[in-house]
């Protein structure tokens, strides 16, 4: 009896050990894994659709605007690359400011969205270029060209003619009154704001900008950044290379007037 009990116990222990032995992982074909990934992505999008559908009267986003984790990674890498390239441009020996051919510069922001580093965006904001296809006048100085060098992939600039200045101000010029943009259709607005500087009408304002007069800074504070028209297809090619090398950005010198005509 003792021997039979011992044998039975040995058989039971063998069964338990066999059950406890780890089993190998089942092989899953690659096709099935891809289907699972696609199914999970669709489930993620559907979930976001439901969330967006519950926003009520709030502005609804498109499904295409939904960002996946990998989108955030790519965006972060693009911003870091932008910062590195900005530092490289400033450090290059050939990046010294160009000779100043005119006292007046007109700057247009033509690119830039999610690929910009916050430091790049800060420089653009300091020049009132917060959105694409906006333009501002500035006094040509070495400090300005150093700033432009930092944000070169996102702006183009040059030396506007007197006619370009006049056309821009007459067509796009405005000021901000109580938080609202007001076109310069009434000279009383100009006189009230700049009369103490002997600027009484829009012609005086244009003249002060063209010759970069003593009160140029006060005029720039009075004017809002000019909102230009989006150019027709083919005018800008989306290239971040400098204009002299076949791109869109950087210094166009006198040829900025051609672009102003197409965007005014």
């Amino acid at each position: 009896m003792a021997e039979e009990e011992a044998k039975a116990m040995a058989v039971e222990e063998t069964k338990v050990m066999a059950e406890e032995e780890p089993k190998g992982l089942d092989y899953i074909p690659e096709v099935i894994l891809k289907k699972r990934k696609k199914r999970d992505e669709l489930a993620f999008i559907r979930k976001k659709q439901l969330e967006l559908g519950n926003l009520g009267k709030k502005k609804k986003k498109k499904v295409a605007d939904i960002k996946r984790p990998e989108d955030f990674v790519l965006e972060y890498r693009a911003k870091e690359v932008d910062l590195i390239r900005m530092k490289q441009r400033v450090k290059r020996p050939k990046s010294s400011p160009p000779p100043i051919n005119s006292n007046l510069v007109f700057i247009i922001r033509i690119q830039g969205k999610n690929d910009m580093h916050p430091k790049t965006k800060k420089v653009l904001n300091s020049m009132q270029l917060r959105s694409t296809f906006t333009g501002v006048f500035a006094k040509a100085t070495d400090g300005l060209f150093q700033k432009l060098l930092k944000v070169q992939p996102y702006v183009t600039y040059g030396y506007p003619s007197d006619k370009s200045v006049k056309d821009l101000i007459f067509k796009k010029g405005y000021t901000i009154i109580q938080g609202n943009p007001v076109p310069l259709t009434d000279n009383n607005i100009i006189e009230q704001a700049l009369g103490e500087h002997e600027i009484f009408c829009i012609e005086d304002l244009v003249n002060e900008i063209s010759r970069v007069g003593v009160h140029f800074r006060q005029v720039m504070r009075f004017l809002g950044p000019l909102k230009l028209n989006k150019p027709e297809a083919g005018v800008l090619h989306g290239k971040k290379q400098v204009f002299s090398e076949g791109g869109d950005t950087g210094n166009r010198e006198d040829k900025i007037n051609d672009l102003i005509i197409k965007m005014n």
Side-chain angles (χ1 to χ4, degrees):
M1 288 291 292
E3 291 181 0
E4 290 178 359
E5 289 179 359
K7 288 180 180 180
M9 290 178 65
V11 170
E12 289 295 329
E13 288 178 0
T14 304
K15 288 181 179 180
V16 171
M17 290 177 65
E19 291 175 356
E20 291 178 352
E21 286 182 1
K23 295 181 180 180
L25 295 173
D26 295 333
Y27 172 74
I28 302 175
E30 186 178 357
V31 177
I32 296 176
L33 292 174
K34 287 182 178 179
K35 286 183 178 179
R36 287 181 181 176
K37 184 180 179 182
K38 190 174 182 180
R39 180 195 64 196
D40 292 342
E41 288 179 350
L42 288 173
F44 175 78
I45 292 175
R46 285 171 186 161
K47 180 182 176 183
K48 289 295 180 183
Q49 283 177 323
L50 290 172
E51 291 176 358
L52 295 173
N54 293 329
L55 291 178
K57 295 182 180 180
K58 293 182 180 179
K59 184 179 178 181
K60 294 185 179 181
K61 297 181 180 179
K62 297 179 181 178
V63 178
D65 296 333
I66 298 172
K67 290 186 177 181
R68 299 185 178 88
E70 53 266 31
D71 296 328
F72 288 103
V73 173
L74 291 173
E75 186 177 312
Y76 173 79
R77 288 177 179 172
K79 290 179 180 178
E80 291 302 305
V81 169
D82 178 58
L83 177 62
I84 292 169
R85 288 177 177 171
M86 181 179 76
K87 292 179 178 179
Q88 290 174 342
R89 285 194 300 274
V90 175
K91 289 181 180 179
R92 286 176 194 161
K94 66 177 182 180
S95 66
S96 57
I100 298 175
N101 298 330
S102 170
N103 287 331
L104 182 65
V105 178
F106 187 65
I107 311 161
I108 306 173
R109 177 175 169 181
I110 55 173
Q111 297 190 58
K113 195 175 180 183
N114 296 328
D115 57 344
M116 289 192 303
H117 191 274
K119 289 186 177 180
T120 305
K121 189 177 291 186
K122 185 177 180 181
V123 175
L124 288 169
N125 290 348
S126 70
M127 294 189 287
Q128 297 188 4
L129 297 171
R130 292 180 173 81
S131 58
T132 53
F133 307 128
T134 56
V136 294
F137 294 102
K139 184 178 180 180
T141 62
D142 289 344
L144 173 68
F145 284 112
Q146 284 293 341
K147 270 188 177 183
L148 292 173
L149 199 60
K150 292 179 180 180
V151 296
Q152 185 171 271
Y154 308 104
V155 299
T156 188
Y157 53 93
Y159 310 115
S161 64
D162 291 346
K163 183 179 183 304
S164 292
V165 175
K166 183 177 179 180
D167 291 345
L168 283 167
I169 298 301
F170 270 78
K171 191 171 181 179
K172 302 290 186 182
Y174 71 96
T175 188
I176 302 294
I177 298 178
Q178 295 181 350
N180 299 314
V182 178
L184 303 179
T185 55
D186 187 351
N187 285 330
N188 289 327
I189 297 173
I190 299 173
E191 184 177 353
Q192 288 176 8
L194 301 170
E196 61 180 314
H197 305 302
E198 298 184 356
I199 299 172
F200 304 105
C201 60
I202 194 167
E203 287 82 5
D204 292 341
L205 191 142
V206 169
N207 183 54
E208 187 72 13
I209 294 172
S210 296
R211 63 186 180 88
V212 190
V214 179
H215 305 295
F216 179 81
R217 183 176 295 181
Q218 286 80 2
V219 170
M220 288 300 100
R221 288 176 182 170
F222 171 74
L223 277 178
L226 305 181
K227 298 177 182 179
L228 306 176
N229 301 326
K230 183 178 179 180
E232 295 180 0
V235 176
L236 297 175
H237 305 90
K239 296 180 180 179
K240 292 186 177 181
Q241 289 87 358
V242 293
F243 180 73
S244 59
E245 297 176 0
D248 295 325
T249 67
N251 194 351
R252 294 174 180 248
E253 298 186 352
D254 295 337
K255 291 183 179 179
I256 191 68
N257 294 294
D258 298 331
L259 185 60
I260 289 172
I261 291 171
K262 294 172 182 176
M263 297 182 71
N264 193 8

